[in-house]
Amino acid sequence: MKLYKLFTTLLIATAFTACADYEDVIVPSPVVSDNVQAVRFASTNKTTFELDPNNELSVSLKVIRNAANSAAAAEIPVEVVSNANDNFVVPSTVSFAAGDSTATLKIMTSASAPVGEDMTFEIKIADEQVNPYKAEYASYKAKVIIVKWNNLGKVHFYDSFAFSTATAAYAVEVNLEQRDDKKNFYRINFPYSAGVLEAAEWTGWIGGNTQSHIVFNVGATYVTWDGFWYTNLIYDGVATDPIKAYLPSAIGKTDDKQSTVKKDAQGNILYLSLKPYYYVDGVGGWGMKPTYLSFPGYDLLGALNVTVFPGS
């Protein structure tokens, strides 16, 4: 009992001493001068880029500053946080013209930048021109890849969910490309135009998210894609409810193997038979619907008895 009391007394004394030795430290919030231009990167800047080696290999970023501080021209220092293998050429400043509150920062890839490999860089605006209370950030990080795509010609894409009505069905003419360094990847330009969707009687539901291309990973038997693709459709006209064409496993389904590649006796691809799951996040969906992509030389229009949408 005496030992217990002694231990308790020592514990209390130690705790009291520790508390007595603790000293509150007050760190004041940064004070921002009225002369600070609050330079930062616009929130609309993309953070992933795929560059075509046939075009200029650059990334252009929108940089903004306070309109109240935009009367004079300014050269704002830009600092490199990371640039592995010096794959990017980053300007040391971003230039604002007198009266402008926006500027463009162009970052080039270096001559030694590899093709087909992910590259990253991170940059920041010099601290003396930053306002930490702004919603946009004064630092920026991006992932970039250089990819060459080879043109295979015009083909047809048919989506039975989006391109058909009770009395008509339309296919869309698209351009088919094959990735140069990874031959199993193919892509088409975005086929869901407002015109074909209106013809398919989606009026009031058009105006959803779009994308430049849809990419397919074509194996020996099965076809997959990265998560989902957009359809330019919104559920019941609600802008925040885009209708997406999901790879079934991306939403917990087990039907990926229903998307297959069809070949002739010589092993040449005739067409892709796809079964995306049409779904609105948090709302529900319509299940899997047949979708087809022909390859050069295959008559998808005749096989499905559909017509090509004019002007596609």
Side-chain angles (χ1 to χ4, degrees), residues 50-231:
E50 182 179 300
L51 305 182
D52 184 343
N54 294 317
N55 300 325
E56 181 181 72
L57 297 176
S58 66
V59 170
S60 291
L61 304 176
K62 182 179 180 181
V63 185
I64 57 179
R65 64 174 173 170
N66 284 348
N69 301 95
S70 64
E75 294 286 329
I76 306 299
V78 176
E79 300 174 1
V80 176
V81 178
S82 64
N83 181 12
N85 300 318
D86 293 325
N87 287 324
F88 300 94
V89 180
V90 181
S92 59
T93 61
V94 59
S95 303
F96 286 90
D100 286 348
S101 57
T102 64
T104 299
L105 179 66
K106 180 184 284 189
I107 298 172
M108 304 290 295
T109 62
S110 67
S112 59
V115 174
E117 297 180 15
D118 286 335
M119 304 176 289
T120 62
F121 69 85
E122 184 174 359
I123 55 178
K124 58 176 286 191
I125 303 300
D127 291 341
E128 59 266 22
Q129 290 299 339
V130 170
N131 182 342
Y133 304 111
K134 291 294 182 180
E136 301 86 0
Y137 293 109
S139 60
Y140 173 85
K141 186 175 182 178
K143 181 170 72 172
V144 182
I145 187 170
I146 302 172
V147 178
K148 180 183 178 183
W149 293 90
N150 298 313
N151 185 19
L152 300 183
K154 298 292 185 181
V155 296
H156 293 109
F157 178 83
Y158 173 66
D159 181 334
S160 67
F161 173 75
F163 296 164
S164 65
T165 69
T167 59
Y170 304 99
V172 173
E173 186 176 79
V174 293
N175 197 55
L176 180 65
E177 296 176 305
Q178 183 179 31
R179 185 164 164 170
D180 190 73
D181 61 328
K182 296 182 179 180
K183 304 295 186 184
N184 54 308
F185 285 94
Y186 297 84
R187 74 178 187 180
I188 59 172
N189 54 288
F190 191 66
Y192 297 88
S193 68
V196 69
L197 294 175
E198 287 172 358
E201 301 177 358
W202 286 100
T203 301
W205 290 44
I206 303 169
N209 299 65
T210 63
Q211 58 197 79
S212 61
H213 295 86
I214 302 173
V215 179
F216 300 102
N217 184 353
V218 180
T221 304
Y222 304 111
V223 183
T224 62
W225 53 94
D226 188 12
F228 64 85
W229 70 74
Y230 288 110
T231 63

